Amino acid sequence: MGRGRKFNRPIRTRQTNHPETNSNSRNTSTMPSIQRPRLIWDEDCEFCRVWITYWRTLTGDSIEYTPYQQAAADYPHIPLKDFQASVHLMSADGTHTTGAHAVFSSLSCRKQLRWLLALYAHLPLFRIITEALYRNVASHRGFYLKLTRLIFRE
């Protein structure tokens, strides 16, 4: 019985450090105030550009898509290598998610896609597999760009 309890833990998210509320923060600038979630991505990545273009058609104006090359200065506590490694979703409430969690959270603004975030939140195996898949795709973007073009005939 004890082993199963660990799977009932909530999804971990990072709270963005606000200098006004965290005296230990090394961030000396104020965090940007955002009205809608902001998905931060790598503009230099062609695979990323293709998928962000598609996600925009799904989410419309619900999500603000900002390249890390423009947004990084707003989040100096996040290393550039982290921005280069995966997408980051910054919510208006300060919640910060990355990777597959950020993808599913951003797509959940569309009612028909909320089931993806629900699976991620409630099925640990789904969460583990999708994060591993996300890391694999992020590490082999060139291959997955070719695969995307082959499948979608772009």
Side-chain angles (χ1 to χ4, degrees), residues 127-138:
R127 182 170 47 246
I128 290 166
I129 290 170
T130 56
E131 288 295 350
L133 182 58
Y134 184 94
R135 285 189 304 274
N136 183 272
V137 170

Side-chain angles (χ1 to χ4, degrees), residues 13-52:
T13 58
R14 291 186 261 177
Q15 290 293 324
T16 304
N17 292 326
H18 292 278
E20 302 85 359
T21 60
N22 185 352
S23 60
N24 295 328
S25 174
R26 291 181 290 172
N27 181 7
T28 57
S29 65
T30 58
M31 300 304 297
S33 174
I34 57 175
Q35 302 302 314
R36 57 190 172 139
R38 176 188 275 184
L39 190 76
I40 302 171
W41 58 286
D42 184 356
E43 184 177 43
D44 293 336
C45 165
E46 189 173 354
F47 173 82
C48 303
R49 283 195 307 269
V50 167
W51 280 100
I52 292 297

Side-chain angles (χ1 to χ4, degrees), residues 70-120:
Q70 296 172 16
D74 293 336
Y75 305 95
H77 62 284
I78 301 174
L80 283 178
K81 67 179 179 60
D82 289 357
F83 282 125
Q84 294 164 343
S86 71
V87 294
H88 292 251
L89 182 67
M90 307 301 188
S91 298
D93 68 358
T95 304
H96 171 200
T97 57
T98 61
H101 190 186
V103 170
F104 297 142
S105 295
S106 64
L107 293 176
S108 73
C109 70
R110 186 162 175 170
K111 188 177 179 180
Q112 301 91 326
L113 298 175
R114 288 186 186 146
W115 62 273
L116 291 166
L117 184 59
L119 287 177
Y120 187 94

